[in-house]
């Protein structure tokens, strides 16, 4: 319902003059699409930075909760670790078992999260495309893949802490548990 006319002036000064003459009237308005897009990109850039910070904070909280979960797990399997130690299992074997359990969980969770995120982004872009007739697409790029790999890799290295901590408890206390 809103009529629009695209006008191109011969010079930049003439463009500003046209804009001024249209804006001075009550029933017309002139806009520069470049200025509107610039403002939109500025706002979107600010939103993107905020989402990036929020993402980093969320990843840190997830890493801490996974490590706490691994510490709790080592407390739950304290008796089995003590039995293995009493039977003469080497410390490197026990560290490897606890670490591998944590690392497999981390990588499986990271890959499942990546797949779920891709699915959610594809669904949202499909809904947006259907409602606005603007083609929106979501794809997993190298940036996302590198972030997931870096996060899971760092958390896998940090998973050595609960594995080594499992060896700190005395064997007798573990056998009584």
């Amino acid at each position: 319902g809103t009529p629009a006319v695209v006008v191109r002036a011969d010079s930049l000064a003439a463009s500003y003059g046209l804009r001024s003459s249209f804006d001075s009237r009550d029933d017309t308005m002139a806009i520069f699409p470049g200025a509107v897009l610039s403002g939109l990109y500025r706002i979107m850039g600010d939103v993107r930075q905020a989402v990036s910070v929020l993402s980093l904070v969320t990843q840190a909280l997830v890493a801490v909760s996974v490590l706490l979960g691994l510490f709790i797990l080592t407390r739950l399997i304290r008796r089995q670790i003590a039995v293995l130690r009493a039977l003469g299992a080497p410390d490197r074997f026990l560290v490897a078992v606890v670490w591998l359990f944590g690392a497999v969980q981390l990588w499986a969770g990271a890959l499942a999260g990546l797949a779920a995120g891709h699915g959610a982004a594809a669904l949202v872009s499909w809904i947006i495309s259907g409602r606005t007739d603007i083609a929106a697409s979501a794809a997993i790029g190298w940036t996302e893949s590198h972030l997931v790999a870096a996060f899971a890799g760092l958390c896998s290295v940090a998973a050595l802490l609960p594995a080594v901590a499992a060896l700190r408890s005395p064997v007798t206390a573990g056998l009584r548990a």
Side-chain angles (χ1 to χ4, degrees):
T2 304
V5 176
V6 177
V7 178
R8 182 175 177 188
D10 292 333
S11 67
L12 186 60
S15 295
Y16 279 103
L18 281 171
R19 180 178 172 191
S20 175
S21 66
F22 279 113
D23 282 345
S24 64
R25 298 179 54 181
D26 291 336
D27 59 344
T28 62
M29 177 177 68
I31 60 167
F32 287 138
V36 173
L37 288 175
S38 174
L40 179 65
Y41 289 145
R42 184 176 25 85
I43 291 170
M44 293 304 289
D46 293 343
V47 170
R48 185 175 178 172
Q49 286 177 348
V51 170
S52 295
V53 169
L54 183 63
S55 173
L56 289 174
V57 169
T58 303
Q59 287 177 355
L61 290 174
V62 167
V64 168
S65 65
V66 166
L67 289 176
L68 286 175
L70 288 174
F71 275 110
I72 291 169
L73 173 74
T74 59
R75 297 287 292 169
L76 291 175
I77 61 171
R78 180 174 53 176
R79 182 176 177 86
Q80 288 84 355
I81 291 172
V83 168
L84 287 172
R85 287 177 67 195
L87 292 174
D91 288 348
R92 66 180 176 275
F93 172 77
L94 296 173
V95 169
V97 167
V98 174
W99 175 80
L100 189 60
F101 180 77
V104 167
Q105 279 188 330
L106 281 166
W107 281 98
L111 293 176
L114 188 64
H118 177 65
L123 178 66
V124 168
S125 66
W126 178 72
I127 291 170
I128 289 172
S129 295
R131 291 188 180 182
T132 63
D133 289 332
I134 297 173
S137 63
I140 300 287
W142 282 110
T143 304
E144 292 83 9
S145 301
H146 288 144
L147 284 173
V148 168
F151 175 75
L154 288 173
C155 286
S156 294
V157 170
L160 285 170
L161 294 173
V164 171
L167 301 177
R168 293 280 189 187
S169 63
V171 175
T172 55
L175 291 174
R176 290 187 199 143

